[in-house]
Amino acid sequence: MATRLKTVDYAVPMLLTLADNTLTAMTTITAYIPEFSGTVTIRKAIVEVNFNQRSVATTVTQNFTTREVDVSVGGATATKYINSNLYTGSGETTSVFYAADATAHFSSNWTSGTNKTIALSVLVDGSTDATAAATWCNVSATIYITYEYDDTQTTQIKTVYIPLNAPTTTLPISKSTVHDTIPALDTYCPEASKTYRNISVVFQGNVGVATATDATMSMQIDTYTALTTTSEERGGASNFWNRYVWAHQYYNAGGASAGIGMTTNATHSFYMWNSTANYNHPQVFMMVTYEFDASASNNMIVSLVLPMEVDSPMGNNSSANNQRATRDLWIEEPATITMQRAAYYVYWDQISNISQLWMRTGAASYVQYTDAATTLGGSNGAMFRNDSFSLARGRQTANFDIYTTEAQTGDLGWNVSGFWILNYTAGKPSQGYGAANHTVKWNLNATFDGAANVIHDIAATAPIIPETNYFITALGTNYQYISNTTGQPIGVAVMFRDDSDTQWVTAYRDISHTDPETGLRRCWSQIRSNFRRFPGDLDPNRGIDITTARKWRCVLGNACNSFDYLDLYISYHSITFTVGGTISGSAGGTVDIDLHRTVQKEEVLSTTRVGNGTYSFTWYDNTENVYSDAREDGTHLGRSDSGLAT
């Protein structure tokens, strides 16, 4: 038995209308943690909510006081998560995001049983706006649960993120274009005996309004029932970051499958359209949460979310002057590694239209993106889908290139960052499915903790990795901030304290060039180079441990107040190999033995023994040669041959 850690996601069906200052129930769903047939400890349960302004006769620029989400697990008395600190609009329409850390409620009310109902109720009070009556719509909610479990349980569950294609210009105004083909999930996800518990589509992007006409958004799979939103306010012709989550297959409060009933043994056409051709180059992906038989020996799909920032500003003039970002990934699962779907989801700030924008990933050809966003209330963003990476076991590198051919006096594109969704199939590790690469989300700060501030300090907290042996393949932050009133966030920083608590270390830092409009902005960073990759890591530049409690800080420049949200994304595996040998010729003293990677000439681990005899290291890769050296004193020295761990 090994205790392992995972994150699963559940989407709640969208609430299409929400009266002002009225607590309203969303659809109750049933969530599943089948590992509760053994021992489970819930470590994080985060509820994320976003909503929009409904069409009204008079354009309304809303302020908010109370934002509330009530959470009930298993029919328990709901816990109320309330923030009544004033959110002041900047004069533009916006979409509002807020979140609650419901870990205590989940931990108290889900201590046994492989499934529980989850009931959410939401409230927004926009009554401080005197222009017209406040009214809301299209409330989306997702829940992610991070928990420890006993990996000997036969039935287990996982969430897979599947990129879907999106246009590089605006959406059509009617159902016309097939934007992508949803794969046959039974084949795409090769694990045995699957039961699908929650399937959703996440759509997000900058509205990029070219007209002040109010609008609806629609998504459809084949000819199944479409989701069409309630008409939203567009009278201000505002460009703001927006998000819809369509839970199109889920289990309802009675435990019965609900939603559109999409089949999983065939492919399906996916459509999107907007009634007024809004949304330039949006981002789209699926979240599929399903149970499977962990005792089988089928292949598996590995689905990772990998943060990666891009040095600002974007490249300019031509592809010869592009800006490139790269990140490493270690693949250690057995058998043939086969690339599935992959995409990079990029965010940036701008203060005017960047009409000549080019992107690519890997060695793909550059693609031009047509942008019409002008006055930005939040991030702008796009995605680049490329499934043609060639993956194999061992160290892999993913790269993203971006540039603009706008005039030098135009908008250069700042505060650039994003995340990868990368999927591949592989064999089942000998240590079990739970040992494979996987991404864990660990919230450091939700938005229900006070007023908007320029500096947001987060009390010391320690993420948990329960395995004794693990290798971090990716580590990063996801910082989401909603600027308040007319502050202009021209500088962004995420920091953490070092182990001695004597200085702040940078996790993410960039400048920005954006409008003084309220809205949601997102920054992603990779911070693996700051932290130990595995227990006992000897790299002096990675001298601190992610599992040590430390304080975090989020800061916006230009005295811009914001409501903040901060997650860690930890991708790691627990697949281990052994490097061993025998010490001979010792004088009987203490022998210091060090393990080195041959090509990099990097010392990675150390151990000792007294006198002659065997030694061994637990190592996390068998694709690159390693060697050991030993020293007892100035005359008793030795080195092994280079070879692969076994």
Side-chain angles (χ1 to χ4, degrees):
M1 168 188 159
T3 300
R4 305 202 184 278
L5 189 72
K6 71 169 64 171
T7 298
V8 293
D9 294 80
Y10 286 93
V12 177
M14 190 180 296
L15 178 64
L16 295 179
T17 59
L18 176 62
D20 188 57
N21 201 24
T22 302
L23 187 65
T24 303
M26 301 186 73
T27 300
T28 298
I29 67 168
T30 300
Y32 291 77
I33 301 180
E35 296 90 351
F36 256 118
S37 58
T39 301
V40 167
T41 302
I42 293 176
R43 293 299 185 185
K44 290 289 179 181
I46 306 299
V47 180
E48 301 177 350
V49 179
N50 57 276
F51 61 91
N52 295 319
Q53 180 185 332
R54 189 176 180 182
S55 296
V56 291
T58 304
T59 300
V60 182
T61 302
Q62 297 292 355
N63 301 326
F64 321 116
T65 50
T66 302
R67 286 88 74 202
E68 175 180 344
V69 58
D70 295 0
V71 181
S72 171
V73 171
T77 300
T79 299
K80 296 178 177 292
Y81 300 91
I82 301 172
N83 190 334
S84 295
N85 292 280
L86 180 63
Y87 173 104
T88 303
S90 60
E92 301 288 341
T93 309
T94 191
S95 177
V96 173
F97 165 89
Y98 62 109
D101 184 346
T103 306
H105 181 90
F106 272 74
S107 298
S108 297
N109 294 291
W110 198 342
T111 58
S112 63
T114 58
N115 62 85
K116 294 286 184 183
T117 57
I118 300 179
L120 305 181
S121 296
V122 292
L123 178 148
V124 181
D125 183 3
S127 59
T128 59
D129 190 297
T131 307
T135 183
W136 315 102
C137 63
N138 304 330
V139 182
S140 294
T142 56
I143 303 122
Y144 81 69
I145 309 169
T146 299
Y147 60 95
E148 295 179 25
Y149 66 100
D150 167 6
D151 73 345
T152 63
Q153 301 308 298
T154 298
T155 303
Q156 298 183 19
I157 198 165
K158 66 191 298 185
T159 298
V160 169
Y161 308 94
I162 303 176
L164 298 178
N165 282 327
T168 59
T169 57
T170 55
L171 290 176
I173 61 173
S174 63
K175 181 182 177 181
S176 55
T177 303
V178 177
H179 291 292
D180 201 1
T181 298
I182 295 172
L185 296 179
D186 292 350
T187 304
Y188 189 85
C189 304
E191 295 87 354
S193 304
K194 293 180 288 294
T195 300
Y196 300 91
R197 296 302 190 185
N198 196 274
I199 302 175
S200 61
V201 174
V202 177
F203 172 97
Q204 54 193 21
N206 193 281
V207 170
V209 174
T211 174
T213 303
D214 295 348
T216 61
M217 172 71 193
S218 297
M219 290 183 277
Q220 189 172 22
I221 296 172
D222 292 338
T223 58
Y224 291 106
T225 303
L227 170 74
T228 296
T229 65
T230 297
S231 183
E232 295 177 352
E233 181 59 46
R234 296 286 192 268
S238 307
N239 303 152
F240 59 90
W241 188 260
N242 199 359
R243 184 172 188 255
Y244 305 106
V245 181
W246 179 23
H248 61 81
Q249 194 160 325
Y250 59 94
Y251 278 73
N252 63 21
S257 181
I260 68 169
M262 181 190 77
T263 61
T264 57
N265 61 354
T267 61
H268 299 278
S269 297
F270 176 67
Y271 302 85
M272 302 179 289
W273 65 96
N274 188 274
S275 62
T276 56
N278 295 156
Y279 293 104
N280 301 284
H281 41 71
Q283 302 173 345
V284 191
F285 59 91
M286 295 182 70
M287 298 191 301
V288 182
T289 298
Y290 61 93
E291 295 178 355
F292 63 96
D293 181 357
S295 68
S297 296
N298 288 41
N299 284 350
M300 67 178 300
I301 188 164
V302 175
S303 186
L304 302 175
V305 180
L306 310 171
M308 186 181 77
E309 72 277 14
V310 183
D311 287 341
S312 293
M314 299 175 182
N316 61 339
N317 294 333
S318 70
S319 60
N321 197 31
N322 67 306
Q323 183 59 286
R324 169 168 288 192
T326 62
R327 70 154 309 114
D328 284 343
L329 168 69
W330 286 88
I331 297 176
E332 299 298 334
E333 291 80 13
T336 301
I337 306 300
T338 303
M339 182 69 182
Q340 299 299 328
R341 296 192 175 202
Y344 183 66
Y345 295 77
V346 61
Y347 300 79
W348 68 89
D349 287 344
Q350 65 190 56
I351 203 166
S352 62
N353 175 26
I354 303 180
S355 61
Q356 302 178 60
L357 186 61
W358 301 79
M359 304 180 201
R360 72 173 182 180
T361 62
S365 299
Y366 278 102
V367 173
Q368 184 174 11
Y369 289 72
T370 302
D371 185 57
T374 52
T375 303
L376 272 290
S379 294
N380 205 346
M383 64 177 287
F384 192 99
R385 165 96 175 273
N386 179 11
D387 304 337
S388 63
F389 282 103
S390 177
L391 292 182
R393 297 185 67 250
R395 184 207 295 265
Q396 308 291 302
T397 300
N399 62 273
F400 169 73
D401 296 321
I402 188 169
Y403 72 95
T404 173
T405 51
E406 292 283 350
Q408 292 295 297
T409 56
D411 199 319
L412 299 179
W414 298 91
N415 199 20
V416 188
S417 65
F419 66 93
W420 290 90
I421 293 179
L422 193 150
N423 292 338
Y424 61 89
T425 52
K428 177 184 178 180
S430 60
Q431 297 94 338
Y433 287 115
N437 268 324
H438 61 289
T439 298
V440 169
K441 292 186 276 191
W442 191 280
N443 182 255
L444 298 173
N445 178 73
T447 54
F448 276 103
D449 58 355
N453 287 298
V454 173
I455 297 179
H456 199 123
D457 284 333
I458 301 168
T461 184
I464 293 171
I465 299 177
E467 291 92 343
T468 301
N469 297 303
Y470 59 86
F471 184 92
I472 295 176
T473 61
L475 177 65
T477 61
N478 169 27
Y479 174 38
Q480 303 187 56
Y481 55 99
I482 303 176
S483 55
N484 196 45
T485 188
T486 55
Q488 188 173 21
I490 61 172
V492 185
V494 178
M495 296 176 283
F496 57 87
R497 295 295 279 182
D498 65 2
D499 279 352
S500 63
D501 197 22
T502 58
Q503 68 178 30
W504 289 104
V505 181
T506 297
Y508 180 84
R509 188 184 303 273
D510 207 338
I511 58 174
S512 178
H513 188 210
T514 189
D515 294 289
E517 308 294 350
T518 57
L520 180 67
R521 293 173 173 85
R522 303 184 72 174
C523 302
W524 300 77
S525 69
Q526 51 181 327
I527 55 174
R528 182 174 180 266
S529 61
N530 298 106
F531 291 87
R532 295 189 183 102
R533 298 159 291 180
F534 44 85
D537 189 349
L538 294 180
D539 187 335
N541 297 316
R542 308 173 192 260
I544 57 179
D545 196 326
I546 192 60
T547 62
T548 299
R550 66 187 72 255
K551 292 178 285 188
W552 293 77
R553 167 178 281 186
C554 303
V555 187
L556 291 183
N558 201 34
C560 181
N561 293 312
S562 66
F563 295 94
D564 294 343
Y565 177 96
L566 184 63
D567 267 340
L568 282 175
Y569 279 63
I570 309 169
S571 295
Y572 73 97
H573 71 78
S574 300
I575 300 170
T576 59
F577 307 94
T578 300
V579 179
T582 301
I583 299 296
S584 60
S586 167
T590 298
V591 182
D592 296 318
I593 309 165
D594 299 321
L595 181 67
H596 300 257
R597 295 168 63 200
T598 303
V599 175
Q600 288 76 16
K601 296 181 174 58
E602 175 192 8
E603 183 182 10
V604 292
L605 289 170
S606 65
T607 188
T608 63
R609 67 157 293 115
V610 176
N612 295 326
T614 60
Y615 69 90
S616 68
F617 293 97
T618 296
W619 186 228
Y620 305 94
D621 170 69
N622 71 342
T623 66
E624 293 187 357
N625 284 338
V626 293
Y627 68 89
S628 303
D629 63 26
R631 183 183 188 281
E632 184 175 354
D633 54 43
T635 58
H636 294 83
L637 307 168
R639 180 195 187 279
S640 74
D641 196 5
S642 295
L644 298 177
T646 58

